[in-house]
């Protein structure tokens, strides 16, 4: 399916088991696996592949992906018209989240990532989008619902 088809089914409550209390959610499945395996489990990166785009969600704190998955997908739906350039172009990759570079000497962004000092609101500030028509990534500002140009540097932690 394409992303827009999936969003349609997600909003109807018949994709992802996210809006149906009778079916297990990603969060409850991770909790069940943790209990059954008697060890702490988490997801470091979660990728979804659709016909037209790939969504990559990165962990920013313990259990952040299972905890925030349904809200992230809801935000993708709410922002779809804005980040698809008014429905004229769908990004072929969406990275959730990206962080604004700190200009201070201590580099608070890197320090926060290293000590896992992030919160759920950090998922909903900036995303990186890759379009066929653009050479580099475009930053999507969720708070302002707009695309912004800027340099993007990937950190592996």
């Amino acid at each position: 399916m394409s992303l827009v088809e999936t969003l349609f089914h997600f909003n109807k409550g018949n994709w992802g088991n996210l809006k149906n209390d009778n079916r297990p959610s990603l969060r409850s499945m991770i909790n069940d696996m943790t209990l059954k395996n008697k060890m702490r489990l988490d997801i470091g990166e979660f990728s979804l592949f659709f016909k037209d785009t790939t969504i990559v969600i990165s962990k920013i704190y313990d259990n952040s992906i299972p905890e925030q998955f349904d809200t992230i997908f809801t935000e993708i739906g709410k922002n779809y018209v804005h980040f698809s350039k008014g429905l004229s172009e769908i990004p072929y990759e969406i990275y959730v989240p990206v962080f604004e570079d700190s200009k201070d000497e201590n580099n608070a962004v890197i320090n926060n990532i290293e000590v896992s000092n992030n919160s759920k609101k950090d998922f909903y500030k900036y995303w990186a989008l890759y379009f066929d028509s653009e050479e580099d990534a475009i930053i999507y500002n969720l708070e302002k619902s707009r695309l912004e140009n800027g340099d993007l540097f990937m950190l592996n932690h």
Side-chain angles (χ1 to χ4, degrees):
M1 289 191 301
S2 69
L3 178 57
V4 75
E5 289 172 304
T6 306
L7 289 169
F8 171 78
H9 291 291
F10 173 77
N11 287 331
K12 286 182 70 176
N14 57 11
W15 180 87
N17 298 340
L18 303 171
K19 295 185 177 187
N20 186 337
D21 293 332
N22 297 327
R23 296 185 191 165
S25 67
L26 179 61
R27 186 177 189 178
S28 67
M29 287 187 279
I30 292 293
N31 288 340
D32 288 347
M33 288 182 2
T34 296
L35 292 172
K36 287 177 183 174
N37 289 291
K38 297 178 182 156
M39 62 186 305
R40 197 168 149 261
L41 299 173
D42 200 356
I43 300 171
E45 184 174 277
F46 194 82
S47 299
L48 297 159
F49 299 94
F50 301 98
K51 285 188 339 186
D52 54 356
T53 194
T54 299
I55 300 170
V56 179
I57 305 169
S58 295
K59 170 185 171 175
I60 60 172
Y61 59 88
D62 289 345
N63 292 309
S64 62
I65 294 173
E67 179 184 298
Q68 295 300 313
F69 182 75
D70 57 340
T71 306
I72 291 168
F73 216 79
T74 298
E75 287 300 313
I76 290 169
K78 286 180 185 176
N79 288 277
Y80 184 80
V81 171
H82 302 289
F83 71 66
S84 65
K85 299 180 177 181
L87 304 177
S88 67
E89 186 178 11
I90 309 305
Y92 65 85
E93 287 182 342
I94 302 169
Y95 285 87
V96 178
V98 295
F99 294 91
E100 186 174 24
D101 187 20
S102 175
K103 301 297 181 199
D104 67 16
E105 292 178 16
N106 296 328
N107 204 339
V109 172
I110 292 174
N111 291 337
N112 280 345
I113 291 169
E114 287 175 351
V115 298
S116 196
N117 188 23
N118 294 294
S119 67
K120 61 185 173 184
K121 69 180 180 350
D122 291 325
F123 276 116
Y124 312 107
K125 291 181 182 177
Y126 302 101
W127 296 346
L129 310 175
Y130 287 88
F131 293 94
D132 288 326
S133 64
E134 304 285 342
E135 189 174 317
D136 295 318
I138 301 294
I139 306 302
Y140 181 70
N141 182 327
L142 276 80
E143 293 170 350
K144 296 180 180 177
S145 300
R146 72 176 187 206
L147 298 169
E148 300 176 351
N149 289 317
D151 293 332
L152 182 67
F153 302 99
M154 300 297 243
L155 296 175
N156 292 324
H157 63 95

